Amino acid sequence: MEVILTLPELKSNPFKTRICQVFSTSEDRDGSLTFEDFLDLLSAFSDSATLEIKSHYAFRIFDFDDDGTLDSGDLEKLVNCLTGETADTRLTKEEMGQLITNILDESDIDKDGTVNLSEFQHVISRSPDFV
């Protein structure tokens, strides 16, 4: 994983460690990648990958607890990765709560308090910039 994280394409990505964890087939769950894992990573991020493949892996990357849903904990980690976790960039508790509420209002079709893969793909299908 150390070598992969130095690649220019991942170096500044706030999800770089999580990306390695998702694509790793290591039983130790340490984010180490075999050559085949690395090829899978490149394939999923290639321009020729389908929206379904890209959204599947994006969902897995954002599902920090690997439970198959994006809950408020996953969404908070997602927002913190995007905004940075410094005192200057971190959202207040109230701002974070409002943002998570807004995300769930827009994405949680079955109103169970989480976003599943199908709901995530539905939201992504409405976002032409996703790919």
Side-chain angles (χ1 to χ4, degrees), residues 11 23 34 41 66 81 86 113 124:
K11 196 176 193 176
F23 283 92
T34 65
L41 184 153
D66 294 319
C81 281
T86 66
I124 294 306

Side-chain angles (χ1 to χ4, degrees), residues 59-76:
F59 180 84
R60 288 193 53 210
I61 291 165
F62 300 156
D63 181 15
F64 290 93
D65 58 10
D66 294 319
D67 68 351
T69 63
L70 304 181
D71 58 18
S72 58
D74 294 317
L75 295 174
E76 184 172 341

Side-chain angles (χ1 to χ4, degrees), residues 5-131:
L5 295 180
T6 64
L7 294 173
E9 294 79 6
L10 286 178
K11 196 176 193 176
S12 299
N13 190 312
F15 301 101
K16 61 187 173 196
T17 302
R18 183 68 187 143
I19 289 169
C20 289
Q21 290 168 343
V22 165
F23 283 92
S24 175
T25 56
S26 168
E27 290 181 17
D28 297 334
R29 307 208 19 98
D30 59 2
S32 62
L33 300 172
T34 65
F35 182 67
E36 289 80 14
D37 296 339
F38 181 65
L39 292 178
D40 287 343
L41 184 153
L42 294 178
S43 177
F45 282 94
S46 77
D47 290 339
S48 61
T50 65
L51 177 63
E52 185 176 343
I53 289 171
K54 287 181 182 288
S55 62
H56 169 81
Y57 281 106
F59 180 84
R60 288 193 53 210
I61 291 165
F62 300 156
D63 181 15
F64 290 93
D65 58 10
D66 294 319
D67 68 351
T69 63
L70 304 181
D71 58 18
S72 58
D74 294 317
L75 295 174
E76 184 172 341
K77 285 182 182 178
L78 169 61
V79 171
N80 284 335
C81 281
L82 293 172
T83 61
E85 297 192 46
T86 66
D88 294 339
T89 61
R90 183 175 224 114
L91 297 180
T92 67
K93 190 172 184 158
E94 294 77 24
E95 291 170 329
M96 182 67 77
Q98 185 60 54
L99 181 57
I100 289 171
T101 298
N102 292 345
I103 292 169
L104 290 174
D105 285 347
E106 290 290 321
S107 314
D108 184 15
I109 296 168
D110 62 9
K111 303 300 179 200
D112 66 351
T114 64
V115 178
N116 62 36
L117 177 59
S118 175
E119 292 167 330
F120 181 78
Q121 288 176 325
H122 176 73
V123 170
I124 294 306
S125 71
R126 300 183 322 203
S127 176
D129 293 335
F130 175 75
V131 174

